[in-house]
Amino acid sequence: MEKHQKEVSSQTLKFSIINYVGAAIGIVSTLFIYPNDKEFLGIMRYIFDGAQILMAFFVFGTSQSLVNYFPRFKESAEKRNIFFSTTLLIVVVNSILFSIVFLLLASSLSSMLPDFHAFDYIQYSVIVGFAFAIMDVCKRQASNYKKIAIPTVLERFSIKIFFPIIFLLYLANSITIEIGKIIYVGCFVVIMIIALWYVKKVAKIQFNFASKKVFNRSFKNEYAKYSLFAFFSILGSLLAFKIDGIMVPNLIEGANAMTANGTYSIGVVLAATLAIPAIGLYTIYSPIITEYIAKDDITSLGKKYQEVSKLLFAIGGFLLCCIFLGVDDLFSILPTRENLVDTIPVILILSFNVVIDMTTSFNSHILLYSKYYRFNMVAIAILVVLNISLNIYFIKYLNMGIEGAAYATLISMTLYNTVKLIFIYSKYKIQPFTQKHIWLLLSFVGSVSLLHNIPTSNTIILDIMIKVGTFMIVNGIVIYKLRMIPAINDWISAKIGAK
C-alpha cells in the first residue's frame, strides 16, 4: 500500500508540475498573444468546444467503462488486451457513424436555416473530436497503470505550445485563418498517434479483437448499460461546462459574436488554471475510488473525500483571493490591457465557480463509479437544462453578454454540486467538509476584506506586492497550521528536522 501511495503521489506531482508549466505558458499566451485577435481566438475555441462535445458521442461512455471494469481483468494479460482493443474498436466505429450523422445534419440545417451558424466549423470539430476520443481512451488506460504524466503532456501541455505558435504565425500574416485551422487540426492528429504509441508501450498492449472471450452475453449487457449511462453523464457534463463556448457566439448578435467568444475564452482559460490540481487528483484517484466502492470501504472513501476537499479548497481559495486582490492592478500595466479589462468580471465569476467545484471534491466520481451512477445522469440533465436556460435568460433577455454566461455557469454549477452532496450524504453518510474549512474560509474572507480596502500608493507594482504578498504570507501560515496540505507540512518538517 505504501508503494502504491508513493506511486500515486509521484504521478500526481508530475501531473501538477506539467500542468502548471503548461498553465504558465497558457497564461502568458492569454495575456500577451490571444487578446491581439479575439475573433481568431473565438473561432478556435468554437472548434475546440464543439470537438469536445462530439467526443462524448464518439467515446459513448466506453472510456469510463475501461476504468470501471479494469479490476475485473487486471490479472489476465490476454483479457486486458482484448478489453482495451475492443473498446478502441467501438470508439472508431462510433466516430465514423456519428460523424456521418452530424455532417449530414449540419448540411441540412445550413440549407434550411442560412442564418444559423452553429455548425459552421463542424468539419474541423469532427476530426479534432476523433483525436480527443482516442486520446481519452489512451489516457484512461494509462491511468489504470497509474501513469498520467505523459498523457497529460500530450493532452494538455502540447496545445499550450502549438496553439500560440499558430496564433503568432497568423498575427504575422504568415498564414491565413483557413491554413491556421488546418494546422490546428493536424496537430491534434499527431498527438493522437503519439498517445496510442505510448499507451501501447506502457500497458504492453497486444491488439486482440477476440471480444467473445471477454464480452459474454452477461458482461455485454452490463457493459452496454454502464457505458450508456456514462455517456449521458459525460455528454451532460460537456454540455454543461462547454456549452458557453457554443452559446455565446450564437446568442450575441452582430459581427462581434466571435470576438465576444474570444473574450469569454480568455476568462475561461485563466479561471481554469485554478482547477489544475483537481484534474490531476481526480484522474489518478479514479481507480482508487472504484476500488473503495467495490470493497464497500466507505470509511476510507470518506476520509479521502475530505482529504482531497481540504487540499483543493486551500489551493483554489488561496489562488482565487490572490487573483481578486491583484488582477485589476496587474492588467493595468500590461500592453494588452485594453483588450483584457472586459474579461475581469468573467475571470472572477468563473474562478469562484471553480473553487466551489473543487471544494466539493470528487463527488461526481463517487456517483459515476457507484451503483448510484444513474443519479449522476439525472443531476447532469438538470444542470444542462438549467445552464442553457440561464444562458438564454441572462444573455438574450437581460443583455448581460459574457458576464451573463459566467453567472449562468456559477448558479447552475453551485446547485448541481449541492444536489450531489445531499444525495451522497443520504446514501453513504459522508461529506467533504470539516471544521478546518470554516477556519480557513474565515481567514480568506477576513484578510481579503482588510487588504482590498487599504489605501493605494502611486506605484502599481508596490500595491500588488503589499496586497497579494501580505495575503500569501498570512494565509500560507494558516494553511500550514491547519495542515490543509499535509505534503507541504511533511516537506517543511523534513527540511527543518522537525518531528
Side-chain angles (χ1 to χ4, degrees), residues 60-282:
F60 216 82
T62 55
S63 62
Q64 283 68 38
S65 293
L66 196 60
V67 173
N68 190 58
Y69 294 113
F70 180 78
R72 190 175 299 190
F73 310 112
K74 195 173 182 179
E75 305 305 322
S76 171
E78 182 186 22
K79 289 184 177 180
R80 290 200 307 268
N81 287 328
I82 292 172
F83 189 38
F84 176 76
S85 301
T86 305
T87 299
L88 203 61
L89 180 61
I90 292 171
V91 170
V92 172
V93 172
N94 280 348
S95 300
I96 294 171
L97 294 176
F98 280 111
S99 293
I100 293 171
V101 169
F102 280 108
L103 288 170
L104 289 174
L105 179 64
S107 178
S108 299
L109 287 176
S110 296
S111 300
M112 293 187 296
L113 303 169
D115 295 328
F116 186 69
H117 302 293
F119 291 104
D120 282 0
Y121 304 99
I122 190 169
Q123 64 272 31
Y124 300 103
S125 293
V126 162
I127 301 172
V128 176
F130 175 69
F132 282 160
I134 299 299
M135 287 158 57
D136 188 53
V137 172
C138 292
K139 179 184 72 176
R140 302 285 179 175
Q141 182 70 349
S143 75
N144 285 329
Y145 292 86
K146 311 297 184 294
K147 301 290 185 182
I148 62 167
I150 298 301
T152 301
V153 171
L154 295 174
E155 183 185 34
R156 299 184 180 276
F157 184 76
S158 56
I159 187 175
K160 304 291 175 64
I161 301 295
F162 73 72
F163 185 43
I165 293 173
I166 295 171
F167 214 99
L168 288 171
L169 289 172
Y170 172 70
L171 291 176
N173 294 318
S174 298
I175 58 173
T176 62
I177 289 181
E178 288 303 317
I179 296 298
K181 288 185 286 189
I182 292 170
I183 296 173
Y184 184 74
V185 170
C187 288
F188 283 109
V189 173
V190 172
I191 294 169
M192 175 194 73
I193 294 170
I194 297 172
L196 268 172
W197 169 82
Y198 174 76
V199 79
K200 187 176 185 300
K201 178 183 177 183
V202 167
K204 297 180 174 60
I205 299 294
Q206 298 293 326
F207 289 110
N208 186 337
F209 298 97
S211 59
K212 290 184 180 179
K213 291 185 178 181
V214 169
F215 288 83
N216 54 46
R217 184 183 296 274
S218 174
F219 179 64
K220 193 183 294 184
N221 292 334
E222 183 184 354
Y223 177 86
K225 188 182 295 185
Y226 182 85
S227 296
L228 181 63
F229 278 102
F231 159 69
F232 282 114
S233 295
I234 298 303
L235 176 63
S237 295
L238 288 169
L239 286 174
F241 307 139
K242 296 295 180 182
I243 198 66
D244 298 347
I246 304 297
M247 295 191 73
V248 166
N250 283 289
L251 290 176
I252 293 178
E253 299 177 357
N256 65 342
M258 280 300 174
T259 300
N261 198 37
T263 303
Y264 189 78
S265 176
I266 291 172
V268 169
V269 169
L270 294 176
T273 58
L274 273 68
I276 290 172
I279 296 167
L281 286 171
Y282 295 163

Side-chain angles (χ1 to χ4, degrees), residues 297-310:
D297 188 358
I298 305 305
T299 301
S300 297
L301 181 66
K303 289 179 181 177
K304 193 63 65 178
Y305 195 25
Q306 292 187 338
E307 176 188 316
V308 171
S309 175
K310 287 190 297 182

Side-chain angles (χ1 to χ4, degrees), residues 219-449:
F219 179 64
K220 193 183 294 184
N221 292 334
E222 183 184 354
Y223 177 86
K225 188 182 295 185
Y226 182 85
S227 296
L228 181 63
F229 278 102
F231 159 69
F232 282 114
S233 295
I234 298 303
L235 176 63
S237 295
L238 288 169
L239 286 174
F241 307 139
K242 296 295 180 182
I243 198 66
D244 298 347
I246 304 297
M247 295 191 73
V248 166
N250 283 289
L251 290 176
I252 293 178
E253 299 177 357
N256 65 342
M258 280 300 174
T259 300
N261 198 37
T263 303
Y264 189 78
S265 176
I266 291 172
V268 169
V269 169
L270 294 176
T273 58
L274 273 68
I276 290 172
I279 296 167
L281 286 171
Y282 295 163
T283 301
I284 202 68
Y285 275 117
S286 289
I288 298 171
I289 296 167
T290 303
E291 190 174 333
Y292 282 150
I293 292 174
K295 293 179 178 179
D296 199 30
D297 188 358
I298 305 305
T299 301
S300 297
L301 181 66
K303 289 179 181 177
K304 193 63 65 178
Y305 195 25
Q306 292 187 338
E307 176 188 316
V308 171
S309 175
K310 287 190 297 182
L311 187 153
L312 294 180
F313 175 60
I315 296 174
F318 186 86
L319 294 175
L320 171 61
C321 293
C322 289
I323 292 170
F324 179 79
L325 290 170
V327 67
D328 282 288
D329 288 334
L330 176 63
F331 280 10
S332 69
I333 60 176
L334 297 179
T336 51
R337 58 186 175 277
E338 296 298 327
N339 291 324
L340 286 170
V341 171
D342 51 359
T343 67
I344 292 176
V346 175
I347 293 169
L348 295 175
I349 296 166
L350 293 182
S351 294
F352 186 55
N353 172 65
V354 169
V355 174
I356 292 175
D357 190 51
M358 290 169 67
T359 306
T360 57
S361 195
F362 46 67
N363 49 22
S364 290
H365 296 72
I366 292 175
L367 290 174
L368 186 59
Y369 297 120
S370 73
K371 62 182 178 180
Y372 303 112
Y373 60 85
R374 293 177 181 85
F375 179 80
N376 199 45
M377 183 185 73
V378 174
I380 288 179
I382 295 171
L383 171 63
V384 171
V385 173
L386 187 61
N387 198 12
I388 291 175
S389 301
L390 289 173
N391 265 287
I392 294 172
Y393 179 69
F394 284 131
I395 299 174
K396 197 74 175 176
Y397 293 99
L398 296 184
N399 294 315
M400 292 179 66
I402 57 176
E403 285 187 45
Y407 278 118
T409 298
L410 173 61
I411 294 170
S412 57
M413 278 296 297
T414 301
L415 291 174
Y416 168 64
N417 278 308
T418 302
V419 168
K420 288 189 295 179
L421 288 172
I422 294 171
F423 184 84
I424 290 172
Y425 185 77
S426 71
K427 298 301 180 182
Y428 292 113
K429 303 303 178 189
I430 58 175
Q431 51 86 22
F433 308 120
T434 68
Q435 193 175 41
K436 291 182 179 181
H437 284 79
I438 298 174
W439 291 120
L440 186 57
L441 177 62
L442 291 174
S443 178
F444 283 160
V445 173
S447 54
V448 166
S449 299

